[in-house]
Each structure stands twice: as C-alpha cells, then as structure tokens.
Amino acid sequence: MNDQLFNDEEITNKQFINFKLKIGILFLILVSSFGFPANAVVDLGEIGVGARPLGMGKACISGVTDATSIFTNPAGLAMNDDFNLISMSGTILSDINYIMIGASDYSPMGKFGFGYLNASVGGIPITTITGSGSTAAVVQTGVTDYSSSILFFSYGSKLSRFLRGNLDNVAFGLNLKYFLQGFSGGGATMQDAVGNGMDADLGFIWKYDNRLKFGLLFNNFVPLSSGGKFIWTKNNETEGIPMAARIGGEYIFSRQWRALFDYEQGRGSGRPSVWHTGLEYAPTSLFYLRTGIDQRAKATTTGAGVDSNPTFGVGLKYFGYTFDYAYQRVGELSDNTSHFFSIGFVGDEPVYDESGVDEDIKKRTTTTVPVPEVVPKPELKTFEDLPDGYWAKKPIEYLATLGIMGGYPDDTFRPDRQLTRGELAVILVKAKGFVVKGTSKTSFSDIRQRSWTAPYIEVAVQRGYMKGYPDDTFKPNGRVSRAETAVIFARFAGLYVKPKVGSSGFPDVKKRHWASPSLAATRSAGFFEYLSGKNFEPKAYLTRAEAAEILSKTSLVKKEIKKLISGEK
C-alpha cells in the first residue's frame, strides 16, 4: 500500500522532507522508519499514552494506576478502586491531530475500562515520480485524508480474586482492541486503503512493597492464526499486527521523588530494543515536575538505529482532578516537536505525613470532645448507590455519620466491594475510638512502616482482634472470608466462645469446622441475622455492607448509634 503513496527506493529521505509530504512524516512517527520493512498497520499507543507518562519518557508499565492504565498496562486498573477519567489532545508536527479518551470504574467483578485513540491528518498529497536521473520529478496527482483509531475494552483485577486470597500483591489486566484505519478520498489510487482488525494486550504488575513495583506487558500478543490480524477491506488482504514486550519498574524514594524505567522489545522485524526512563518530583501534593528519555527506533544509512528523545512535563492535582502537560521532541528535526495536554480524574488519594499515617484520618481520630453535650440531631450521611429499601442502608448511614466507615469521592459507598484485612483493621480500631499515632516499627514482614494502615494493624493485633500468619506476614491486602469474620468479630466484641459446640447454627458449616465455635457465639449475639434462613458460605468474602451490618450489632457501636439518634454528642 505504501508504494501507492511514494516510492522510497527512488527518493532520498532528504528529498522527501524537502517536499514536505505529510503522509511520510506521519509514517515516520508511527512506524519510525523509511527503510524498515514495517507493516502498514499502526498501533497508536506508540505515539502517546497520556501527558503524565509522556512527560516521564513513556516509562509507564508499572507506575500508572488511573484510567491511563487502559493505554499503558491494564493491570494498573486493579491498583485503583476509584472512578477514573483521562483525556489527552495534541498536534504532532502541526498537522497530525491526536486525541485520547478513557474511563474506568470499579465493580464487584473487578475494574473495567473503555478507551479511544485517534490520529488523523488531512490534505495529504498523492504523488508519483516522473522521469529518471537528473530529470526526475515528484508530481502531485491527488489529495487524500488519513485516520487511524483504536477502541479499547479493558479489565483489571488482583489475582487474589481468583486464587482465594493468594497473590493479592499481583494484578493482571487485559485489553481487547479494535483497529480501524485507512484513507478517504484520492480516487481509485486509494480505494483499497481502508481496513480493520482486532488484537489484545496482556499485562501484569507485582507490588513488591509500598516502594517498589514491577510491570510486564505484551502488546498485540494474539498471533495472526488465532485472530490477531488486520484486514484490508477491498482485497481482503490480511496481515499480522506487530507484537511488543515491555518490562519495567517503579521505585518511590520518598513522598517527593519517584523513578521509573521500561525496556521494550519487538514492534516488528528489524526493530531494535529501546529504553524509557523517567523521574517525577512533587514539591507539594498539588504540583508535579517530570522529565525522561523516550527512545525510538529510526532508520539510518547503515540500518536500524535509536533516537534518545528528551521529554518534560508538569502537572497539577486538585481534589482528585489532574491537569498535565508534556513536551516531546522526536529525532533531530526541529519540526518534530509536540505538545500534549491531559485532563483527568484520579480519585481521592490519601495524603500521608512523614510517619506514613493518613493525615485526614489522623485529624479525625485525634479530635475528642471531653464534655458530653446535647446537640441537634445530625442529618445522616447517605450515598448515591444506596437506594431506599437497601437491606443495609441504615447501618451504613449510621457508621458513615459517626466517621467509622466512609465513602468515595463520587458520593458512593460501594457496598458490595470486598474488604481487605488492612481495611478491616482500620475500621475496628476507629470503631473503638483509639487515638492512633505513627509507628516506629512493624511486627510483620509484609507491612512497611510508612504504610498508612500500619499503625491501625499494630493496634488491632495488640488488642487481639486480628492475628498474623506463621510466616510473620499479615497479608494486609488479602480479603476476609466469612469464617474469619466470625472469629475476628467474636474477639472484637469480647464474646464468650465455647471450645466445642453442638452446632454452628448454619446447615452448611459442620460443628467440626475450625470457625464453628466463634460462628455459634456471633450468631447468638445477632451478628449474622441478615443471613437468617440462608447458608453461611464460610469461604465467601466479607463486603463493606456486611461489615457495617455486623458492626452495628456490637454493643459498643450500638451505644454510639443510640447517642447519634438521640442527639447526644
């Protein structure tokens, strides 16, 4: 198809640039070569993936967790439970219009996302070469427009969702991609230059600890024989979409500094491997400075080469909204300078003090009212996803108003979301009203001192509500089964648990089950009234709504709810 536009064997790169043929410049950016035997199919993710990653040299496989993950590594979706939006626009070489739009949100089945990329350029000359030797000339025979788009359908989840709580620090993600590209106009010369295709991306992120993460991504990993292909509509010509493999990492030095790197291999036969490196500096929680090196393959007189292109960026974040700018220059041409702008929403991320404690939570837990007083009854806090008649609506509203359990920035509670062990520790400690301060050490090998949940976990363990595992781990990101819930809440409420019981109280839990004694005690206390007449399902995971319901049945929280209703503070 390329030979219909220009014959790059009969015209030098210098002559081509002098003629300012826009389509050639487009393929220079997208395919990064004149001499490479590159496919005509273009993966737009190679141009830009959001202004924040672009400002850091496109080192983004492990360090991006908002909706930008759709275009970088879909496994990152599983690292952020908030609703996310991202958009980016820019003009490449003053001619090529580029836009990106993405959205993702949490569901009980995992995080789902949708994305759209498009690059287009109009008024492209269709040329032919007449004559030969010194009389050779490039003659324009028509004009065409070019557009390339990709639709993304994304999913991300932690592996623990499918492995009964194991590997909670490993996330995976999958992109299904639909390609649509081609030329419009230009008469018979371009009539077959339109096509579509499908492929997929597969990604993983391993969170080693709160400072270090590693990522792995396979772009367009579906082989042609299995459906990963692009088909030119008119003549039904089929070609594969070049695969690329990327591995990378992120290291957080401090609250202000983080470094990222990616190593990429693939993108077609003859393409050299390239590196992407980046730094991000946050002098405040509102302002960010970024820089990086974005390597790209290029054609040279001796074969394939690599350009190391500097990138720069700045960003603002205010109440979860982000505004980012990135500067990028490709190769040695001064015209190859591009500017990109992104606007997005990343959610309400916690701000930590130097000891690793969430400053907002610290303020709430250290504020006390020493003298009881009678005040007007407060208006109960409610949420958009709690319809009238929802079975746990009142307990959730009571606990939210008391500050024991909170919602999300989009005014939702997400009652069906499953709780982690770390989150449950925080809720239990806050329900007791303990003043929590930063901890100088942690008792478990998988909890960092600077983790905001660390001091709550220490208190929960010291008080005997929860325990760690024999290998000196706590598994703060592991989910809590209903069987574990019975044991934990029996300890929390100080219930008497008989060593042996005749029945657990539920038909699907035998009396010999390890949690039967605690289950019998908590059932007698009314903690599981909402399961009356149903099976207990001991392996089912505890949801936020269930935690609110059970907590509202404990004597301590009952008293707080009674004070709230009566207007006593």
Side-chain angles (χ1 to χ4, degrees), residues 185-303:
T189 305
M190 305 305 300
Q191 63 182 352
D192 62 343
V194 178
N196 59 77
M198 298 188 70
D199 217 307
D201 303 331
L202 178 65
F204 299 89
I205 292 180
W206 173 36
K207 186 178 181 181
Y208 178 76
D209 56 28
N210 286 337
R211 291 181 179 269
L212 183 62
K213 289 190 295 185
F214 297 97
L216 177 64
L217 177 69
F218 300 97
N219 282 121
N220 307 319
F221 73 94
V222 181
L224 189 150
S225 59
S226 299
K229 58 188 176 182
F230 191 91
I231 303 174
W232 297 103
T233 305
K234 182 175 178 59
N235 54 15
N236 207 34
E237 180 183 346
T238 300
E239 57 182 282
I241 302 173
M243 190 188 96
R246 296 181 72 163
I247 186 171
E250 176 195 47
Y251 186 76
I252 301 175
F253 292 95
S254 67
R255 178 175 171 178
Q256 289 80 27
W257 287 96
R258 70 178 64 205
L260 305 96
F261 76 91
D262 287 357
Y263 175 76
E264 179 180 339
Q265 190 174 40
R267 300 277 182 198
S269 176
R271 292 286 293 273
S273 300
V274 294
W275 287 90
H276 307 275
T277 57
L279 280 173
E280 183 175 64
Y281 172 61
T284 73
S285 60
L286 300 177
F287 183 65
Y288 297 81
L289 295 172
R290 305 173 183 119
T291 187
I293 298 294
D294 174 23
Q295 287 193 339
R296 288 176 179 265
K298 70 173 183 178
T300 67
T301 55
T302 58

Side-chain angles (χ1 to χ4, degrees), residues 431 489 492-493 525 527 549-559:
F489 275 95
F492 174 82
F527 291 2
E549 167 69 16
I550 295 171
L551 202 56
S552 71
K553 300 291 186 179
T554 64
S555 59
L556 175 66
V557 178
K558 272 184 178 179
K559 292 179 182 178

Side-chain angles (χ1 to χ4, degrees), residues 13 46 54 81 164 208 258 269 274 291 353 380 387 394 508 524 526:
N13 293 354
E46 209 178 340
L54 279 173
D81 287 336
R164 297 186 178 182
Y208 178 76
R258 70 178 64 205
S269 176
V274 294
T291 187
D353 64 13
L380 293 181
K394 282 301 181 183
D508 63 332
S524 297

Side-chain angles (χ1 to χ4, degrees), residues 12 19 117 124 137 140 153 158 250 280 343 427 437 455 480 498-499 512 566:
T12 66
F19 280 114
L117 288 179
I124 305 167
Q140 180 174 331
F153 300 91
K158 293 180 180 178
E250 176 195 47
E280 183 175 64
I343 299 176
I427 292 170
K437 298 180 180 179
V480 186
K498 297 179 181 179
R512 294 188 299 272
S566 65

Side-chain angles (χ1 to χ4, degrees), residues 148-194:
S148 178
S149 302
I150 306 178
L151 293 176
F152 292 77
F153 300 91
S154 306
Y155 174 76
S157 175
K158 293 180 180 178
L159 288 179
S160 57
R161 181 181 301 275
F162 307 97
L163 299 177
R164 297 186 178 182
N166 297 313
L167 294 180
D168 198 64
N169 61 337
V170 179
F172 81 98
L174 180 68
N175 278 336
L176 298 180
K177 302 195 296 186
Y178 176 73
F179 294 79
L180 180 64
Q181 68 181 62
F183 297 84
S184 59
T189 305
M190 305 305 300
Q191 63 182 352
D192 62 343
V194 178

